[in-house]
Amino acid sequence: VGGVAVDRIAAVRAESRTAKAFQDGMGTADRPSVHVRGFPVLNQLAAGSLDHVDLTAHDIPSDGTTRPLPVTKLTVGMEGLKTSGDADEAHADSVTATAFLSYADVSSALGVQVSQGDDSGRVDATVSLPLAGAVTVSAAVSAAGGNSIAFTDVRAEQGELLPPLKSLLDRALDEPIPLRNVPEGLRLRSVTTSEDGIDARFTGRSVT
């Protein structure tokens, strides 16, 4: 029992250090939740690497970008997480992660009202002006280069696409929107839509 208790204390310390490193590096208001898997943890620490660590963080800011898109929720699974003394960084051999982007955050970043589309993998974007009325278009969502989300195959759904409205939608949807607030080394692999937002799935090796 004593050995289990000591091992659990070591796990809690490792979880706390990992959470602090992530919070400091990503600038989150709150520390993420971290869980170190496996037993005994002391043996893993002695070897200098944690076998598997799960991390969940919320509201990761995206400052310093022209269209800041915060990550509403980030879930990360890390294999081979290296720990060393008072290091400010943690390094993982391999990582899988999912960034959830709420439609409210996506709408704020793009400047148009975004919601779930009628078809899988699509979203609706609505824009309105006092004299031009309102129009809704449907767009396909996909992963693009540079860890960006692209909106393509835009189709008019409702309302008349007058020039002022088209200009606003073009400005919002023509250029992919980058996800710069994810750990260094992750690469965007796929994007899916849900009722509440967009899920962006990442993988990576030698991730900081």
Side-chain angles (χ1 to χ4, degrees):
V1 173
V4 171
V6 170
D7 196 78
R8 186 58 227 163
I9 291 171
V12 169
R13 289 186 61 189
E15 290 165 353
S16 177
R17 286 169 51 197
T18 302
K20 183 180 185 302
F22 185 92
Q23 183 182 27
D24 292 346
M26 303 304 296
T28 58
D30 301 314
R31 286 196 181 184
S33 63
V34 177
H35 176 63
V36 176
R37 291 193 199 176
F39 179 85
V41 172
L42 281 172
N43 288 4
Q44 299 177 47
L45 291 171
S49 176
L50 297 171
D51 294 342
H52 187 95
V53 178
D54 293 317
L55 179 149
T56 302
H58 295 84
D59 301 321
I60 304 174
S62 181
D63 301 325
T65 59
T66 55
R67 293 189 295 172
L69 175 57
V71 171
T72 313
K73 178 181 178 181
L74 181 70
T75 56
V76 185
M78 298 171 279
E79 304 284 348
L81 184 67
K82 305 294 190 302
T83 60
S84 57
D86 297 325
D88 293 330
E89 294 180 340
H91 304 275
D93 292 338
S94 65
V95 172
T96 59
T98 299
F100 170 71
L101 315 166
S102 71
Y103 287 130
D105 285 339
V106 175
S107 298
S108 179
L110 296 180
V112 299
Q113 187 63 44
V114 179
S115 59
Q116 184 182 28
D118 291 335
D119 298 326
S120 176
R122 299 186 70 86
V123 296
D124 287 343
T126 301
V127 64
S128 61
L129 288 174
L131 298 179
V135 66
T136 298
V137 299
S138 170
V141 184
S142 61
N147 284 355
S148 298
I149 295 177
F151 302 90
T152 59
D153 188 25
V154 178
R155 311 169 186 168
E157 291 286 317
Q158 185 176 358
E160 186 177 356
L161 193 58
L162 298 175
L165 300 174
K166 184 178 185 303
S167 177
L168 288 175
L169 287 167
D170 287 346
R171 188 159 59 246
L173 303 177
D174 274 1
E175 292 295 325
I177 186 166
L179 298 176
R180 304 196 185 283
N181 48 345
V182 294
E184 182 181 348
L186 288 180
R187 294 293 177 266
L188 181 60
R189 303 301 183 186
S190 65
V191 176
T192 58
T193 59
S194 67
E195 181 180 356
D196 300 316
I198 297 171
D199 285 319
R201 292 178 173 82
F202 296 81
T203 62
R205 291 190 173 277
S206 299
V207 175
T208 301

